[in-house]
């Protein structure tokens, strides 16, 4: 992106430098700068990125945008009104001047793993880039698009905590195809109801290109109510009729198998990851592929060979034939249930190690109790929990005749867990990231490596 294009995109003013200089890298981290980098100083709650402009140039940045006047006469310096807005404006400019197919993905749970599957499918035909990790907010999404070089497709993840956030993101990404994995309870404490979560997720359609396609999971009660509204609606499902249905679903602790019918032919799909939720993810990815002219055979190869982003329920095999599912990155009711389903399908003694699901507001007790009941209904042998809200999980387990124990802190939980684990046990460790149960996983790995 040339400096003069950055000025055009941001309505900025060149304080110093050359209009024809080419910027090849964009970052908000001064330490990541190098020759060709544009440093973007973001003003956050605790830090002002402008304080690190000198550091950016020490790391050989070629240019900066800034909303404060600074004096670096030998560098490209562009003055803008708001650096965060300018970041989005630059990404929108790149998107509008690209010829790439853009796929947007959102949902209450499964965004990242579905994105990984979609990317694998898209790469069967197109040169593509995707959101790295969970760079799915008003900083991460523009930075993803600003990585664009000459790719034929972009797979862009969009996250939200509040109404209006996806509207902003989708009007930067302007997808040709959008997908919503589900509408659950994540962030219900902020938006107030699942109806509002549906409204927030549906904002992804606001940026859809003319004739754009929206793909939804028709088995989800809220998404089943969606009707075409200026876009083409395509549905996937297992339990209810849909445009693309999985049949004869067989789940095991090592993977999933299912059949799918398309244009009069029957196909078999084998996934190397366990859980019904991954069948849904695969159906979404296949529907995306079919929507952008990728043959079914290639769609199937894409979902069968995809690579999952780390920290998304990683399955580890430890010493003494102990199996550990690491789901410590995040948690909400839907992902908890999906992980418990996987645990329930495993052989051996099943132990759930759980922490609080955060950001649930007035729904905190109800949803944690629902997890407790779900554990008992799925015959989980033992649950160890930590966190104030997780007391409701253990209370519900005991009320329904299950086996569970609550701990005041992670240290006490870890001590009891290490004393409890036996050969051939299967463990699920899951909580919202803020509960720091990754530390428990590391202790298990150290003890049983």
């Amino acid at each position: 992106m040339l400096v003069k294009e950055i000025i055009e995109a941001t309505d900025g003013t060149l304080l110093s430098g050359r209009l024809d200089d080419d910027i090849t890298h964009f970052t908000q981290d001064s330490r990541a700068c190098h020759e060709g980098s544009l440093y973007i100083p973001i003003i956050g709650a605790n830090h002002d990125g402008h304080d690190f402009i000198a550091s950016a140039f020490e790391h050989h940045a070629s240019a900066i945008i800034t909303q404060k006047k600074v004096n670096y006469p030998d560098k490209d310096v562009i003055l803008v009104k708001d650096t965060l807005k300018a970041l989005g404006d630059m990404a929108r400019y790149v998107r509008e001047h690209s010829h790439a197919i853009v796929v947007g993905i959102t949902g209450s749970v499964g965004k990242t793993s579905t994105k990984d599957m979609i990317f694998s499918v898209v790469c069967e035909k197109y040169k593509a880039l995707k959101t790295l990790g969970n760079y799915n907010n008003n900083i991460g999404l523009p930075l993803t698009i600003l990585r664009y070089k000459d790719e034929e497709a972009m797979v862009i993840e969009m996250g939200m905590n509040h109404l209006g956030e996806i509207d902003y993101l989708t009007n930067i990404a302007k997808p040709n195809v959008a997908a919503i994995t589900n509408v659950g309870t994540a962030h219900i404490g902020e938006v107030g109801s699942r109806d509002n979560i549906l409204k927030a997720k549906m904002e992804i359609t606001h940026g859809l290109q003319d004739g754009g396609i929206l793909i939804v999971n028709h088995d989800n009660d809220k998404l089943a109510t969606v009707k075409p509204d200026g876009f083409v609606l395509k549905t996937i499902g297992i339990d209810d009729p849909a445009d693309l249905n999985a049949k004869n679903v067989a789940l095991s602790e090592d993977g999933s198998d299912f059949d799918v019918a398309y244009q009069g032919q029957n196909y078999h799909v084998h996934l190397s990851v366990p859980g019904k939720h991954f069948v849904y993810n695969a159906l979404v990815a296949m529907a995306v592929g079919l929507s952008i002219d990728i043959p079914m055979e290639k769609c199937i190869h894409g979902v069968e060979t995809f690579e999952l982003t780390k920290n998304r329920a990683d399955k580890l095999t430890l010493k003494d034939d102990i199996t550990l599912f690491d789901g410590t990155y995040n948690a909400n009711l839907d992902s908890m249930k999906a992980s418990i389903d996987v645990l329930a399908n495993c052989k051996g003694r099943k132990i759930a190690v759980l922490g609080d699901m955060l950001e649930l507001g007035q729904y905190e007790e109800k949803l944690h109790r629902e997890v407790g009941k779900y554990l008992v209904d799925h015959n989980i042998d033992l649950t160890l929990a930590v966190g104030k809200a997780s007391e409701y999980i253990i209370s519900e387990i005991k009320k329904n005749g299950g086996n569970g124990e609550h701990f005041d802190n992670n240290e006490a939980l870890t001590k009891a867990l290490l004393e409890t684990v036996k050969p051939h046990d299967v463990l699920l460790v899951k909580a919202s990231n803020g509960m720091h149960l990754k530390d428990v996983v590391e202790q298990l790995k150290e003890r049983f490596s």
Side-chain angles (χ1 to χ4, degrees):
M1 195 175 186
L2 300 179
V3 167
K4 61 185 178 184
E5 293 175 317
I6 294 172
I7 291 171
E8 179 184 350
T10 62
D11 195 24
T13 300
L14 186 66
L15 297 183
S16 60
R18 297 178 294 272
L19 291 172
D20 289 325
D21 282 353
D22 192 14
I23 302 303
T24 57
H25 176 244
F26 300 81
T27 181
Q28 86 290 14
D29 184 347
S30 64
R31 299 162 299 182
C33 291
H34 50 71
E35 290 288 341
S37 293
L38 172 79
Y39 173 59
I40 305 157
I42 303 297
I43 299 176
N46 300 312
H47 301 285
D48 183 348
H50 292 81
D51 296 338
F52 302 95
I53 288 175
S55 170
F57 285 133
E58 288 169 3
H59 285 84
H60 309 293
S62 297
I64 63 166
I65 58 172
T66 173
Q67 62 189 69
K68 300 178 180 181
K69 287 192 176 182
V70 295
N71 184 31
Y72 290 93
D74 60 334
K75 300 291 185 179
D76 295 325
V77 178
I78 302 165
L79 181 67
V80 298
K81 290 182 179 179
D82 183 311
T83 53
L84 183 60
K85 179 179 182 298
L87 171 61
D89 290 340
M90 289 187 293
R92 187 180 297 107
Y93 182 94
V94 168
R95 165 60 182 119
E96 290 175 346
H97 287 78
S98 79
H99 298 289
I101 298 167
V102 175
V103 179
I105 174 74
T106 192
S108 293
V109 63
K111 291 185 296 296
T112 299
S113 52
T114 307
K115 173 203 69 185
D116 292 336
M117 279 193 169
I118 291 172
F119 180 72
S120 184
V121 168
V122 170
C123 287
E124 290 287 317
K125 181 174 180 178
Y126 303 102
K127 181 180 180 182
L129 67 78
K130 69 172 179 176
T131 301
L132 298 178
N134 66 326
Y135 259 42
N136 60 18
N137 63 8
N138 60 344
I139 297 174
L141 181 143
L143 287 173
T144 296
I145 293 176
L146 288 170
R147 288 171 35 226
Y148 173 82
K149 302 299 181 188
D150 59 354
E151 292 84 359
E152 300 165 295
M154 293 186 263
V155 180
I156 306 295
E157 181 180 334
M158 303 182 199
M160 53 74 65
N161 294 312
H162 302 91
L163 286 162
E165 292 176 342
I166 290 179
D167 175 79
Y168 175 73
L169 299 176
T170 190
N171 278 296
I172 293 173
K174 298 186 179 298
N176 305 94
V177 181
I180 306 177
T181 60
N182 46 56
V183 172
T185 59
H187 310 299
I188 196 169
E190 282 81 7
V191 299
S193 68
R194 289 185 67 225
D195 285 334
N196 278 343
I197 294 173
L198 172 63
K199 183 178 178 181
K201 300 303 182 186
M202 285 296 295
E203 289 174 3
I204 200 171
T205 64
H206 297 178
L208 267 177
Q209 298 287 298
D210 291 342
I213 296 168
L214 176 67
I215 296 164
V216 301
N217 178 353
H218 200 257
D219 285 357
N220 182 270
D221 60 333
K222 294 300 181 183
L223 291 175
T225 67
V226 173
K227 305 297 181 186
D229 183 14
F231 52 82
V232 177
L233 180 66
K234 295 189 177 182
T235 59
I236 62 94
I238 299 174
D239 302 320
D240 292 336
D243 295 321
L244 194 65
N245 270 112
K247 300 293 186 183
N248 306 318
V249 177
L251 306 175
S252 73
E253 61 182 284
D254 296 316
S256 310
D257 287 88
F258 64 93
D259 297 323
V260 61
Y262 180 69
Q263 293 186 341
Q265 293 190 53
N266 291 315
Y267 299 87
H268 182 75
V269 183
H270 171 74
L271 304 178
S272 58
V273 287
K276 186 177 181 181
H277 55 297
F278 276 110
V279 177
Y280 284 120
N281 296 350
L283 289 171
V284 170
M286 293 159 66
V288 168
L290 294 170
S291 297
I292 56 175
D293 300 322
I294 299 176
M296 175 59 89
E297 292 83 359
K298 288 186 177 293
C299 291
I300 292 172
H301 185 261
V303 299
E304 289 186 334
T305 58
F306 91 109
E307 294 183 4
L308 184 65
T309 295
K310 293 298 181 184
N311 292 326
R312 295 306 200 271
D314 290 346
K315 181 181 179 182
L316 306 171
T317 301
L318 305 180
K319 188 174 67 174
D320 298 332
D321 193 32
I322 295 169
T323 300
L324 170 62
F325 290 99
D326 176 4
T328 56
Y329 177 77
N330 214 337
N332 54 58
L333 179 64
D334 304 279
S335 65
M336 278 283 195
K337 286 184 173 180
S339 296
I340 293 166
D341 287 340
V342 172
L343 181 62
N345 272 323
C346 294
K347 299 174 182 177
R349 187 173 65 142
K350 304 168 186 63
I351 301 175
V353 182
L354 306 179
D356 291 358
M357 302 178 290
L358 303 177
E359 302 176 345
L360 296 179
Q362 64 179 319
Y363 297 91
E364 180 178 89
E365 178 176 353
K366 177 180 182 294
L367 298 182
H368 281 86
R369 288 193 178 277
E370 192 167 335
V371 170
K373 180 69 162 51
Y374 203 79
L375 287 157
V376 175
D377 290 346
H378 287 72
N379 301 309
I380 304 306
D381 297 296
L382 173 65
T383 299
L384 307 180
V386 65
K388 183 177 181 296
S390 290
E391 292 184 31
Y392 299 124
I393 295 177
I394 300 303
S395 172
E396 196 67 20
I397 287 172
K398 291 182 176 179
K399 186 174 82 172
N400 287 275
N403 186 15
E405 186 175 356
H406 185 267
F407 298 88
D408 293 332
N409 53 62
N410 287 2
E411 291 74 19
L413 169 69
T414 302
K415 182 176 183 295
L417 178 61
L418 293 175
E419 292 172 351
T420 298
V421 174
K422 301 175 182 177
H424 315 299
D425 282 348
V426 184
L427 313 177
L428 165 67
V429 184
K430 190 165 182 65
S432 288
N433 193 38
M435 297 303 295
H436 306 294
L437 287 198
K438 188 71 174 179
D439 297 339
V440 178
V441 170
E442 294 305 319
Q443 291 286 332
L444 285 165
K445 289 163 64 176
E446 182 177 336
R447 174 69 65 88
F448 296 103
S449 61

